[in-house]
Amino acid sequence: MPEQQGYVRFENVSKAYDAATFVVEDLSLSVAKGEFLTMLGPSGSGKTTSLMMLAGFEQPSLGEIFLDGLPISRVPAHRRDIGMVFQSYALFPHMTVGENLAFPLQVRKVSKAETKRLVSKALGTVKLAHLIDRKPSQLSGGQQQRVALARALIFEPRIVLMDEPLGALDKQLREHMQHEIRALHRRLGITMVYVTHDQDEALTMSDRVAVFGNGRIQQLAPPEELYESPSNAFVASFIGENNSIRGKVVFRDVNLCKIELTDATLLTARTGDVQQFGEDATVSVRPERVVLNPPMDGSTVRLEGNCTDLVYHGDHIRVCIDHKSAGPLVAKIPNARAYQLPKIGDAVLFGWAAEDAIALKQV
Ligand SMILES: Nc1ncnc2c1ncn2[C@@H]1O[C@H](COP(=O)(O)OP(=O)(O)OP(=O)(O)O)[C@@H](O)[C@H]1O
Ligand SMILES: [Mg+2]
């Protein structure tokens, strides 16, 4: 578990590559020692730029980055004690695995004996000792990525940065490597800053996730909080799937809101970032929280609609429902025998627990 707060700190960091636009704007972010923090966001949202500034390959235009309490802008990249893994493995094709790992050590004039010790230790960490004499072209994608990982670990850095390290791998291998990286992180207790645009990867691997959008952090929270309590509609739509129902705020206190739909249907929801009476709002409900034939009690939303489609997914069935003012919705119904599924065209009663819905500002 993270011990020391603020081991890495971005303080009001902005970055512009040209005079016109900040691609990272006023970024403040703190990573605890030993934490696994992921930067998640759409393409162009400034993730790589932020990582490059931390690694020392780019300079902030404004603001400062601190490492263990000390500003690092004047510390060159190779003195920051940071290991880096890129999306492409960037291994030298003409060198063996062992030579690839030894190369950065030789450049820094590490002795032969010490080089041998560090290479075999790093290879052991990623369980590749037996492939030390292979060339990269004789390895699978996952093995190459593990060599890249070993190379990032070889100096026993304080921090490892990974920029979409698994992007080139197929789904199965990616899941396997996610597991390995997570286990490695746990075993070595190293501080990790990981970049991905894959939300599943972010949710399953991280202690906390920073959601980037438009050059800013939209939310920084542990995976569960991000999923259950998105702080705005951008985060809600970026993390997982959502039913979004449009209406107007007709009641709001700090905990609960009532949202009125066009046909005067009232939906109770948790209060997200909506501010005031009369404001346009989106009620967000996860498809797996939508149930058929919901119970009659005060805390459950009950609506009637029509089943427009059924899609079989093996472990669950997606029931598509049209409601006259809430619009098209999806219910993810677990594939269990207990469920009586409707047929296409049937009228369906559906709903959700009011606390499973959150009212957010429309964007
Ligand atoms: N060296 C550079 N010179 C000029 N503009 C750049 C440079 N590097 C990145 N940019 C721009 O900065 C913005 C942010 O880029 P960045 O690579 O940080 O995004 P990203 O979040 O990593 O995206 P992706 O998911 O596609 O990798 C983009 O609009 C990009 O075109
Ligand atoms: Mg990038």
Side-chain angles (χ1 to χ4, degrees), residues 101-279:
L101 294 184
F103 182 72
L105 300 170
Q106 285 160 355
V107 170
R108 288 179 214 188
K109 312 258 186 282
V110 176
S111 74
K112 272 220 166 83
E114 181 65 357
T115 297
K116 199 165 169 216
R117 187 184 75 80
L118 289 173
V119 167
S120 87
K121 185 168 173 218
L123 272 180
T125 304
V126 298
K127 302 193 183 71
L128 280 184
H130 57 298
L131 298 180
I132 188 166
D133 293 322
R134 293 257 187 104
K135 295 267 173 69
S137 62
Q138 298 166 319
L139 301 175
S140 73
Q143 288 166 339
Q144 290 183 51
Q145 198 49 276
R146 268 145 73 191
V147 177
L149 193 57
R151 194 177 49 184
L153 295 171
I154 200 141
F155 286 110
E156 303 176 338
R158 297 186 280 185
I159 305 173
V160 173
L161 311 182
M162 300 198 186
D163 193 356
E164 311 238 5
L166 310 180
L169 307 180
D170 67 35
K171 185 170 183 297
Q172 217 174 352
L173 195 52
R174 204 163 63 223
E175 282 172 8
H176 176 74
M177 286 300 294
Q178 287 171 3
H179 180 76
E180 288 207 358
I181 291 172
R182 195 81 185 97
L184 202 66
H185 168 254
R186 233 177 277 130
R187 207 165 72 234
L188 304 181
I190 224 163
T191 306
M192 293 262 199
V193 183
Y194 193 93
V195 164
T196 183
H197 58 239
D198 180 334
Q199 40 137 331
D200 268 345
E201 192 163 290
L203 292 182
T204 55
M205 297 184 74
S206 324
D207 293 320
R208 287 189 306 158
V209 180
V211 181
F212 278 60
N214 308 319
R216 288 175 174 275
I217 293 186
Q218 301 286 331
Q219 189 169 4
L220 172 57
E224 192 180 330
E225 190 181 325
L226 219 55
Y227 191 82
E228 301 293 344
S229 303
S231 61
N232 59 40
F234 178 89
V235 176
S237 66
F238 199 70
I239 310 280
E241 212 187 327
N242 254 302
N243 289 301
S244 300
I245 305 162
R246 286 164 170 265
K248 274 194 189 318
V249 179
V250 293
F251 170 82
R252 176 193 178 280
D253 70 19
V254 283
N255 299 313
L256 288 179
C257 282
K258 285 195 188 295
I259 308 297
E260 189 177 62
L261 310 189
T262 49
D263 67 342
T265 299
L266 279 183
L267 299 181
T268 304
R270 278 184 295 140
T271 302
D273 63 346
V274 289
Q275 302 292 341
Q276 56 203 357
F277 184 87
E279 190 180 336

Side-chain angles (χ1 to χ4, degrees), residues 44 46-49 87 163-164 195:
K47 307 180 298 292
T48 296
T49 300
Q87 174 167 5
D163 193 356
E164 311 238 5
V195 164

Side-chain angles (χ1 to χ4, degrees), residues 10 21 27 37 43 57 86 88 107 119 159 225 285 289 291 300 304 309 315 319 337-338 358 360:
F10 285 75
T21 37
L27 174 69
L37 183 127
S43 187
F57 301 122
F86 301 91
S88 56
V107 170
V119 167
I159 305 173
E225 190 181 325
V285 192
R289 299 287 165 79
V291 295
T300 304
E304 192 179 333
D309 202 4
D315 64 337
V319 180
R337 285 184 208 291
I358 183 163
L360 300 166

